């Protein structure tokens, strides 16, 4: 449900009772623009005077001021907390971590060399394809943006050592911080609950409702309607290319701004979801699923659709329940070691005991949930045009970053386009089929080897130069250095605390290049991120996470769902299943991500007699349309 502006109870440790609650300051109302992949938000000086819907600031001025105050005063009124999942290891700092003190420069150098060696090393074995459909890579990225945004302030000398420089991996000299400084000073700019605030923002404003309309997120709603807006593409074929089925469906892009200075920027609560085209199209699918659910509720639950507010609230609840259920029973079951999820669901999460009730585990956010980086392909079988033997060839990672708002929606940055071209909508059948015999349609294996394109990311480091720019654009090095800076325990320490037999030195080095082995030999312990990727290779053949990685993921997600009073695990009754949710016309349930995409009208529900794909329709148009 949409959050209210009532003050929280006296006992809430995440907010001071006397503080005035403003929608622009709450995580549900936060709109994020202009932060790159894995970026860290640093509040700027001054406020953007533009109207909220036209502002180009990363956060709205009042939100930014509240975040800056949180960082300065070590409060958690406008932000939420990070904490350590493995408290035993955190309590043993620095003995459960990479070396600190006089060995910082030496360790940083080894981590930099390790990161460089992880990008398509010459000794990488053949057969990099997993059995995981490529969509799971970007589903994970969507989840990450929905629950985390590292928030840091400038180093102002406050606290021991000026600890507000957390996360600044290009700072000279490079510094590390102990767990207490990290927990006190690192803040999360998003709500960690799986409530889809990156889709809904603060919700729509209907006639007669006060205290809404203060954030850019409202721009994504159809006025006076319970539906979210969509962007339009042309239904005319570009010469030399084919229309992507269904070719007569124009509502297949994010809604975009036409305001001077922010042309093509996505009108969604979290602009990071327009970083690459697969992720943007996934966000489009969620918008369409919401709209299709609005139509379903209006038809099948008229008692819940008396007003547009009633209709929106019920549709939002169903979308959240379906999404959360699928995160557990599709996403986690696909990507974690068999048995781990069922064990945690049976007993409940037991590891995370944060100081503040609403918190995000650091081992998850900084290490474990970054396993998806290794799943990224260098090129994709994207649609009928961008495929093997197609007119455009397979879609390169570089192209997927160009056909976004910040990339100009164009192959030529000097000549940007106003909308996504008609040859670029995704064909989800090529990225979602677990039984597809075409291995090149699958994600890369979960292992320590990253696609070449992640060694020089197109839209990263644009405001820097020289070595700083190179570091910001090298994803593996960023992950390793940030984990070291933020006192993430070693893989061996994590395994010991979980009672898991650690990987042997030989296992950690198998299939590794000489450069990678040399870097590991120069480290006193294994970085957790590298360890979990190697564990997946050794224990899951790259097709699912190993024991330690699976435990961290499952414990985190189940904790977050149990924390949320409005999650499917808590409301409206314990044990909600898709049987209580939306259904297809033949009464079939939505029990997989593919079902969700088909219900939303972006994945075929079948084929006609001529073999052409058939997409779900509702009310005379394709399912999921915004009605505008």
């Amino acid at each position: 449900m949409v959050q209210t502006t009532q003050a929280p109870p006296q006992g809430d440790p995440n907010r001071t009772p006397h503080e005035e609650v403003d929608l622009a300051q709450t995580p549900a109302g936060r709109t994020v623009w202009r932060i790159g992949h894995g970026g860290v938000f640093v509040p700027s000086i001054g406020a953007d005077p533009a109207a909220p819907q036209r502002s180009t600031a990363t956060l709205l001025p009042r939100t930014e001021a509240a975040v800056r105050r949180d960082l300065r005063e070590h409060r958690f009124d406008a932000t939420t907390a990070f904490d350590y999942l493995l408290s035993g290891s955190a309590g043993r700092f620095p003995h459960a971590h990479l070396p600190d003190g006089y060995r910082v420069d030496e360790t940083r150098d080894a981590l930099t060399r390790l990161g460089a060696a992880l990008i398509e090393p010459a000794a990488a074995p053949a057969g990099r394809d997993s059995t995981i459909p490529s969509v799971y890579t970007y589903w994970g990225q969507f989840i990450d943006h929905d629950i985390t945004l590292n928030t840091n302030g400038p180093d102002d000398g406050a606290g021991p050592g000026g600890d507000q420089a957390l996360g600044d991996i290009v700072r000279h000299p490079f510094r590390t911080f102990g767990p207490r400084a990290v927990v006190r000073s690192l803040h999360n700019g998003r709500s960690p609950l799986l409530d889809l605030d990156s889709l809904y923002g603060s919700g729509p404003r209907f006639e007669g409702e006060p205290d809404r309309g203060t954030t850019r997120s409202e721009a994504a709603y159809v006025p006076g309607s319970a539906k979210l807006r969509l962007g339009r593409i042309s239904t005319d074929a570009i010469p030399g290319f084919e229309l992507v089925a269904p070719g007569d469906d124009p509502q297949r892009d994010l809604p975009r701004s036409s305001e001077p200075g922010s042309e093509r920027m996505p009108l969604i609560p979290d602009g990071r979801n327009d970083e690459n085209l697969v992720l943007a199209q996934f966000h489009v699918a969620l918008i369409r699923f919401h709209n299709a659910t609005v139509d379903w509720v209006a038809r099948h639950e008229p008692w819940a659709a008396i007003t547009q507010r009633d209709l929106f609230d019920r549709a939002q609840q169903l979308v959240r329940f379906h999404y959360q259920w699928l995160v557990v029973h599709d996403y986690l079951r696909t990507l974690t070691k068999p048995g781990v999820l069922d064990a945690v669901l049976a007993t409940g999460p037991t590891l995370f005991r944060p100081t503040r009730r609403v918190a995000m585990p650091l081992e998850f956010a900084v290490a474990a949930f970054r396993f998806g980086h290794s799943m990224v392909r260098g090129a994709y079988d994207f649609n009928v045009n961008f495929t093997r033997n197609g007119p455009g060839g397979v879609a390169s990672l570089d192209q997927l970053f160009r056909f976004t708002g910040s990339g100009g929606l164009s192959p030529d940055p000097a000549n940007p386009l106003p909308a996504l071209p008609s040859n670029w909508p995704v064909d989800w059948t090529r990225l979602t089929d677990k039984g597809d015999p075409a291995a090149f349609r699958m994600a890369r294996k979960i292992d320590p080897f990253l696609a070449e394109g992640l060694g020089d990311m197109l839209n990263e480091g644009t405001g820097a130069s020289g070595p700083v720019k190179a570091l910001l654009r090298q994803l593996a090095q960023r992950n390793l250095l940030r984990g070291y800076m933020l006192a993430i325990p070693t893989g061996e320490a994590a395994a010991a605390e979980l009672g898991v037999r650690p990987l042997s030195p030989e296992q950690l080095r198998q299939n590794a290049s000489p450069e990678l082995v040399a870097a590991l030999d120069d480290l006193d312990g294994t970085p957790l991120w590298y360890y979990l990727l190697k564990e997946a290779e050794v224990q899951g053949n790259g097709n699912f996470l190993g024991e330690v990685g699976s435990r961290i993921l499952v414990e985190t997600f189940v904790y977050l769902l149990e924390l949320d009073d409005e999650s499917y695990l808590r409301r409206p009754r314990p044990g909600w299943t898709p049987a209580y949710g939306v259904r297809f016309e033949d009464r079939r349930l939505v029990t997989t991500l593919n079902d969700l995409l088909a219900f939303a009208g972006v994945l075929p529900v079948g084929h006609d007699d001529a073999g052409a794909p058939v997409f779900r329709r509702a009310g005379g148009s394709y399912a999921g349309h915004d009605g505008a």
Side-chain angles (χ1 to χ4, degrees):
M1 303 294 180
V2 174
Q3 294 190 8
T4 68
T5 55
Q6 295 178 350
Q10 290 277 340
D12 188 340
N14 288 309
R15 192 180 300 281
T16 52
H18 69 275
E19 193 69 34
E20 179 184 356
V21 180
D22 178 77
L23 193 62
Q25 297 178 6
T26 64
R30 183 151 303 123
T31 301
V32 180
W33 272 19
R34 302 184 188 279
I35 293 181
H37 183 98
V40 175
F41 167 61
V42 178
S44 61
I45 298 175
D48 188 331
Q53 288 80 1
R54 296 179 174 84
S55 173
T56 59
T58 301
L59 296 177
L60 294 175
R62 294 178 67 181
T63 301
E64 189 163 309
V67 169
R68 188 162 56 243
R69 181 202 61 208
D70 276 4
L71 293 165
R72 182 178 62 250
E73 301 179 10
H74 304 298
R75 297 164 63 168
F76 291 87
D77 291 333
T79 58
T80 53
F82 286 98
D83 212 326
Y84 290 90
L85 183 77
L86 304 173
S87 57
S89 296
R92 293 172 52 228
F93 179 82
H95 304 292
H97 304 72
L98 294 176
D100 199 20
Y102 72 94
R103 294 190 60 189
V104 167
D105 290 342
E106 177 184 329
T107 303
R108 180 186 184 278
D109 175 69
L111 290 172
T112 302
R113 289 186 284 114
L114 176 61
L118 297 183
I119 304 297
E120 294 285 8
R128 308 261 25 96
D129 301 315
S130 71
T131 58
I132 308 165
S134 291
V135 67
Y136 287 86
T137 308
Y138 298 94
W139 188 2
Q141 191 177 14
F142 180 91
I143 294 171
D144 178 65
H145 292 172
D146 192 55
I147 61 179
T148 56
L149 171 62
N150 288 349
T151 304
N152 301 96
D155 183 1
D156 64 357
D163 52 45
Q164 292 195 46
L166 292 167
D168 185 2
I169 60 172
V170 299
R171 181 182 176 86
H172 182 78
F174 180 84
R175 298 168 55 197
T176 60
F177 302 91
R180 290 185 179 180
V182 173
V183 171
R184 182 176 64 251
S185 303
L186 188 69
H187 293 233
N188 188 0
R190 294 206 71 84
S191 165
L193 306 180
L194 292 164
D195 57 2
L196 288 175
D197 63 326
S198 65
L199 177 69
Y200 291 113
S202 57
R205 179 178 62 178
F206 297 107
E207 185 176 357
E209 294 184 344
D211 301 324
R212 292 195 173 93
T214 57
T215 76
R216 285 183 293 253
S217 63
E218 273 74 28
Y221 287 87
V222 176
S225 168
K227 290 187 174 183
L228 288 152
R229 284 177 52 190
L230 286 155
R232 270 48 170 183
I233 67 170
S234 172
T235 54
D236 295 326
I238 295 174
F241 294 93
E242 298 181 38
L243 291 173
V244 182
D248 59 343
D249 184 353
Q251 298 193 24
R252 304 170 76 180
D253 191 21
L254 296 171
R256 299 188 180 277
S257 172
S258 59
E259 293 288 337
S262 60
E263 297 91 342
R264 296 172 300 279
M265 295 303 291
L267 298 175
I268 56 177
D270 198 320
R272 293 176 296 172
N273 285 349
D274 193 36
E275 282 178 0
N276 64 73
L277 187 53
V278 184
L279 181 59
Q281 290 283 286
F282 190 88
H283 194 111
V284 168
L286 265 292
I287 292 176
R288 299 219 5 188
F289 182 64
H290 168 84
N291 291 345
T293 300
V294 168
D295 289 332
W296 187 90
V297 171
R299 180 177 179 182
H300 296 280
E301 296 182 350
W303 59 87
I306 297 174
T307 67
Q308 287 294 307
R309 167 55 59 190
D310 296 333
L311 178 56
F312 172 81
D313 287 347
R314 175 55 175 162
Q316 182 187 53
Q317 181 187 60
L318 286 173
V319 170
R320 284 174 170 170
F321 285 176
H322 278 288
Y323 171 78
Q324 293 167 351
W325 193 92
L326 289 173
V327 167
V328 172
H329 294 283
D330 189 338
Y331 184 82
L332 288 179
R333 285 202 186 281
T334 298
L335 295 165
T336 60
K337 185 177 180 180
V340 174
L341 174 61
D342 290 322
V344 175
L345 287 175
T347 64
T350 60
L351 294 178
F352 198 36
R353 295 293 182 267
T355 302
R356 291 178 170 82
R357 189 178 73 90
V358 180
M360 168 61 65
L362 282 155
E363 295 89 342
F364 171 90
V366 180
F369 204 46
R370 297 178 182 237
F371 76 91
H373 295 164
S374 72
M375 298 168 62
V376 176
R377 300 187 65 89
Y380 287 87
D381 182 34
F382 195 74
N383 61 30
V384 66
N385 299 302
F386 297 95
T387 182
R388 290 181 177 179
N389 301 319
V394 291
S396 69
L397 200 56
D398 180 80
Q399 287 175 308
L400 296 180
F401 276 83
R402 290 193 187 280
F403 283 91
T404 61
S406 59
L409 298 169
S410 167
D412 181 6
N415 294 288
L417 298 173
L420 184 69
S422 65
N423 58 341
W424 271 108
V426 69
D427 176 359
W428 284 118
T429 63
R430 299 167 186 260
L431 280 70
T432 59
D433 185 358
K434 289 185 176 181
D436 198 321
F440 68 94
R441 291 179 173 175
M442 299 298 174
R444 287 168 54 102
K445 287 189 174 182
I446 307 171
D447 59 24
F449 308 125
L450 275 65
E452 184 178 5
L454 298 182
D456 189 13
M457 298 181 66
L458 176 67
N459 294 331
E460 298 301 311
T462 53
S465 61
V468 171
K469 181 174 182 177
L471 179 58
L472 289 174
R473 295 178 69 152
Q474 217 280 15
L475 187 58
Q477 291 174 341
R478 279 211 322 246
N479 288 345
L480 292 166
L481 291 173
R482 188 166 289 158
Y484 180 39
M485 171 175 279
L486 300 180
I488 302 302
T490 64
E492 291 86 355
E497 185 163 348
L498 293 175
V500 176
R501 182 178 180 179
L503 299 179
S504 68
E506 294 74 23
Q507 289 173 317
L508 289 167
R509 290 161 174 77
Q510 71 182 35
N511 300 325
S513 67
E515 294 80 9
L516 196 155
V517 171
L520 286 177
D521 289 344
D522 289 340
L523 291 169
D524 187 9
T526 308
L528 183 59
W529 180 63
Y530 175 87
Y531 183 96
L532 298 181
L533 296 180
K534 199 66 182 181
E535 184 188 54
E537 179 189 359
V538 172
Q539 297 182 3
N541 193 29
N543 295 313
F544 53 81
L545 291 167
E547 184 72 27
V548 175
S550 296
R551 282 286 304 278
I552 293 175
L553 249 68
V554 171
E555 287 269 350
T556 297
F557 279 117
V558 177
Y559 165 83
L560 294 176
L561 288 169
E562 290 197 350
L563 177 68
D564 183 5
D565 291 337
E566 300 295 329
S567 78
Y568 89 93
L569 286 179
R570 303 284 300 276
R571 295 283 181 91
R573 61 176 68 83
W576 185 93
T577 75
Y580 299 106
V582 301
R583 295 178 181 240
F584 288 89
E585 284 69 21
D586 61 1
R587 305 294 294 166
R588 183 164 54 92
L589 306 182
V590 174
T591 59
T592 67
L593 178 64
N594 287 15
D595 292 335
L596 183 151
L597 298 175
F599 191 87
V602 298
L603 187 74
V605 292
H607 294 81
D608 62 19
D609 293 339
V614 175
F615 292 80
R616 184 170 175 267
R617 302 181 72 92
S621 63
Y622 288 106
H625 278 193
D626 62 17

